[in-house]
Structure formats: C-alpha cells, structure tokens
Amino acid sequence: MGTSKQRWRISFHKSPSKHSPIPIEFVCPISGSLMADPVIVSSGHTFERHCVHACKSLSFTPVLPDGSVPDFSTIIPNLALKSTILNFCRSSLLDPPKPINFLTAENLVFTLMATQKAQNLNPLAKDAARFSGIRFVQSETELNRVASQISTSSEESVTPRSGPTTPLPLSDRPSCYSSSSASDIDTLNPNSIEEDELVMKLKSSHTWEQEEAVISFRKLTRTREETRFQLCTPRILSTLRALITSKYASVQVNSVAVLVNLSLENRNKVKIVRSGIVPPLIDVLKSGFQESQEHAAGALFSLALDDQNKTAIGVLGALPPLLHALRSESERTRHDSALALYHLSLVQSNRAKLVKLGAVQALFGMVKTGHMTGRILLILCNLAASSEGRAAMLDGGAVEWFVCMLRRGEFDSESTRENCLAALYGLSHGGLRFKGLAKEAAAEDLLIQVEEMGSERVKDKARKILEVLRQKDEEEEEVDWEKLLNSDDDISQTRISSS
C-alpha cells in the first residue's frame, strides 16, 4: 500500500458558488434531486417517497451505483433528514425542495428500467455504468433529456453537466462538491488509483491477499480522520459488505474493524447505513468470531450516534441481537451493545420494539444481578419515557425495585444512583398507578432522606418525584389505595422480587 504521506491525499478545487455545496445524503438516488419527502426503506437506503411508490407500482428494483439492491417492503418517513434538509436550504438561501408527483417519478423509473435493461444486454455498457452512476447515457441528447427530467430547479439539482461520456457518479460525489467545470471533475473523482488498487486487492480470489489488504486498510484508518472520509466510498463499502461475513477469521475480524474506523468519522455514518452494510453486520453480531462480534457491537454503537440512523438500524433488526449480546462472554461486546441500545432507545419506535421483545424483564434481571447496572439503568430511563415502557415497568414491579435499590444504597457511583432516580422519575408520569405503587413501597420517606443527603443533581430528581407524590388531584380524594393495588392480578404475578 506504501507509506508515502502524500499517498492518500485528495485535493478538491472548489469553484465559486453563492450556495453551500449540497451533501449527497440529501439527494435521492433515483430522482437526482434534493428530497422533499425522504423515506427509509427496509434495506436502510433513503429515497424520495414517490420514487419508492413508482418502483413498487412497476415491480422494479433498481441496482444502485455501489451494487446494492434496495428492499422496498417497509417504508418509514425520515423526519430527521427532512428537517435537516429544510435547515440546510434556509441557511444556504435555497428554496425548499418540492415533492415530485407520482407521474414524474414513474417516468424516471421507466427511464431507469430501460437503462438497466440496456446495461444487462451490453457488457461494455454495464462496465461503463460502474463509473457513470445509476444511469448509462449514450448520447449528449439523451443526457440532456434525462437531466431535464430529474431537475426540479437549477438550484436544487446536483445532476452533473460535464458531458455525455464522463458524468460524475451521483453516489460517489464528495459532500464538498459544488457546480464545477469538466476539468474540476477529474480532481473530484474519488476513483483514484489508490482506491482502485485497494478494491482490487480486497476483491482478490486469494485469501492471503484479502487479509493483507484489510490489515493495511485497518492501519490506514485507525488514526487518519481524512483518510476515513476519503476511503468511505460506495465501491469500498460494497466490497467490505462481502468481506465482513468471510469464513476466514482474520479477514472477517479486520474487515469489521475497518468498518468501525470508518464509522468514527461523522460524515460517514449515514453513508454507511445507506450502503446496506447493517444486515451483514447484524449477522456477524449473531454468529461471527468473538473478536468480530466485539467490533460489530462497536460499529452499531458508533452508527447509532447519528439521529438519522436510529430508526433504520431498528427497522433492520439490530435490537434482538444487541439484547442477546448484553450477556456475551466479552466485556467489550456487552458494554458496546448496551451503549448502542441506549442510543437506539432514544427513538420511540425502537422503545416500542424493545418492550414487545420483553426487554424490560431481561434488563431488570441484569440490574438485579448487578450486571452493568449503570448502563442498563440508562436504557430503562429511556423506556420509562414512553407509555409502553412505563406500563411494562409498572407491571414488572419497577417502583418497588428502584426504591429497594435506593434504600440499600449499593451503587458503584453517584451517577448510577442518579440514573436510578431518573428512571423512577420517568415512571412518576404514570399517574395514580405510580402513586399507589410508591405508597406501597414507602418511597416518600426514603426520597426525603435522599433529598437531604445526595448531590445537587440527585437532590433535584428526588425533589421532582416528591412533588409528583404530593400533588393532589380531585380524583385522588376518594381513592382506595388497597383496592387499586389489588385490582390488577398481573402486577402480583409479574412483579420483580427484591431479594
């Protein structure tokens, strides 16, 4: 791979522009324009909504420039990305994008279907398409026709106007791209000789050469932030997607480690999830080599830090294996899985999934045995913020258990104690049900003691819970607490004991 300091340096020549460059993550891979109504599909890719509906209506599945194939079986609005795009437009003085209508989307898909059919019939066209994006254009007239179809306005479109034979790949375009001349495109094209060499070695039929390549790649991306960004291209991600499930331990371990390194760069996180690499990553977490599982948990944790990825990672099925990984023999796997679940459970849809998976009882069991108490309590705090999570926790005897923990005072740190109170405060929004359970557990006297002796943050949380307990409602005047507590048979059957 070489050790020259200049080896991986890529220069970008920006041409004057009154607007900020448009990040590629904001652009629909099918329409080529800023997304007005972005949706996440099951494979983790994001498209304009009507483009997805048009593909489903025509029973067509496009092959994206990186070789990945989207799965349209589930469609979820990407509200976080929509808000980010609108904020970008405001700050860049651009008009907000307008949704394309279904007829326009259908015409785009028809064009794309014809293009991919031509590629399949002509091997030379198929090879050329790898370097020209999702559309293969054979004449300048055709280029202008397609460009006019997918442009909603001169401000919004990032479709290149570089000529008929060398269009800049849509999915490979760097985020610092702005409208430029044909001479600039050669500089901007990330398909460098170094990238070609790396991809060739990663795709080698010789295992030893693959191993050598991923080890070198891992070293390159360990500390060099700009290298992580430059080498996180669709071609390389597509190649890694095949290698992270390799049956050879060294190839698998180092490939997943490379993915962790690439995910540390914030600009790469959404790109990685959209590349379709999360499903094989989940497979590694389920049944990969132990060191690979450690890296897989770390990669999911890193990717979950970006708000745009949280829903997609949950939809793709990461929650069950992450829950199972909490009991892994590897401490690193356990801790990174817990942190991944904490960040994923900040999203309501994932909270609901975790409750259905029986996570509340599993997490309580771990807290009860002192297993990663601090981090597990963080997840329970998030679950307590949702109505489903509160109901499951109240049914499971959470109030009694948290009060018991506070009474014993067996915390490894003040922050763990604070997390316990935070979870209890989340449950305090459970209304009369919470008040009845807190009364039965004699929580008020204990909280008074905590308020007098804890740190400022602990005192504040204890004070808020006490305010809830002391708040009188009209319907509370005639409450028969004993009857309320005995009215739900499920409570006594599922309550966690505090032995």
Side-chain angles (χ1 to χ4, degrees), residues 301 304-305 310 338-347 350 379 382:
F301 161 43
L305 292 174
K310 290 179 171 62
L339 289 171
L341 285 169
Y342 164 71
H343 287 282
L344 292 173
S345 61
L346 291 169
V347 175
N350 289 335
I379 303 172
N382 287 345

Side-chain angles (χ1 to χ4, degrees), residues 41-67:
V41 298
S42 299
S43 56
H45 300 87
T46 298
F47 300 90
E48 182 72 29
R49 182 186 294 275
H50 279 162
C51 289
V52 175
H53 288 316
C55 286
K56 294 182 71 173
S57 173
L58 297 170
S59 300
F60 172 70
T61 303
V63 178
L64 301 182
D66 62 351

Side-chain angles (χ1 to χ4, degrees), residues 218 253 256-257 260 290-300 332:
R218 182 178 179 181
V253 167
V256 184
V260 174
Q290 181 172 315
E291 188 177 349
S292 299
Q293 291 178 334
E294 293 177 354
H295 294 313
L300 289 170
R332 183 175 174 182

Side-chain angles (χ1 to χ4, degrees), residues 428-476:
S428 70
H429 294 82
L432 293 178
R433 179 94 180 279
F434 168 79
K435 291 184 179 182
L437 293 169
K439 185 178 180 70
E440 185 183 55
E444 187 168 353
D445 292 340
L446 176 64
L447 289 168
I448 291 173
Q449 296 175 22
V450 172
E451 186 185 15
E452 294 173 351
M453 299 170 55
S455 65
E456 284 304 315
R457 292 167 64 92
V458 166
K459 288 179 180 178
D460 180 61
K461 287 182 172 58
R463 189 180 305 114
K464 288 180 178 178
I465 301 172
L466 284 170
E467 288 175 359
V468 172
L469 292 175
R470 292 166 179 170
Q471 184 178 2
K472 296 294 183 181
D473 300 319
E474 291 183 7
E475 58 179 308
E476 198 176 345

Side-chain angles (χ1 to χ4, degrees), residues 6 22 49 77 90 183 213 218 236 244 292 320 330 353 390 423 428 454 482:
Q6 303 298 322
I22 298 176
R49 182 186 294 275
R90 281 194 290 269
S183 60
R218 182 178 179 181
I236 288 178
I244 63 177
S292 299
S330 166
K353 287 185 176 73
R390 277 196 301 273
S428 70
E482 184 176 353

Side-chain angles (χ1 to χ4, degrees), residues 33 51 99 116 159 257 270 277 311 313 377 403 468:
S33 299
C51 289
Q116 288 194 181
T159 304
V270 173
I277 213 165
T311 300
I313 293 174
L377 282 172
V403 170
V468 172

